[in-house]
Amino acid sequence: MRIRTDGDYAYRRDAIERAADFYDCNKTKAVVSACDDVPKFVQAARQVLKRDDLTLEQRREIAETLSTRAMSFEVTTDIAVDTD
């Protein structure tokens, strides 16, 4: 597999190199490691944001902190009113 890093895709080289530095490995292993880790991190983030022991404001702050350029988390609330 080849990943374009020329022209408009130059930012990819920086991202891959940051991943290699983070994982302390070569670029190929860094890409594979990131691909393995991201779905697990997203699932963990979703679980944290569903916790009922956090206030709405805390969940929104966590969502903002965990959001990135490629992935954003949102916290919404549903309010239902029943009238009899």
Side-chain angles (χ1 to χ4, degrees):
M1 175 184 303
R2 299 200 187 280
I3 299 174
R4 290 187 60 184
T5 58
D6 61 331
D8 291 342
Y9 302 107
Y11 71 93
R12 291 176 176 174
R13 178 178 302 282
D14 294 335
I16 293 168
E17 288 174 357
R18 281 193 309 272
D21 289 342
F22 176 79
Y23 286 107
D24 192 26
C25 62
N26 66 47
K27 294 175 193 173
T28 300
K29 185 170 181 181
V31 170
V32 172
S33 296
C35 291
D36 286 341
D37 286 349
V38 167
K40 293 174 185 172
F41 286 132
V42 169
Q43 182 58 36
R46 287 180 177 153
Q47 288 177 342
V48 167
L49 294 173
K50 289 180 183 178
R51 288 178 36 183
D52 59 3
D53 63 326
L54 299 172
T55 66
L56 178 59
E57 183 62 27
Q58 287 171 322
R59 285 185 278 157
R60 286 186 173 153
E61 288 175 4
I62 292 167
E64 184 178 334
T65 299
L66 296 176
S67 292
T68 66
R69 179 185 60 80
M71 176 59 127
S72 63
F73 294 91
E74 264 184 49
V75 176
T76 59
T77 58
D78 293 325
I79 300 174
V81 177
D82 291 329
T83 56
D84 293 319

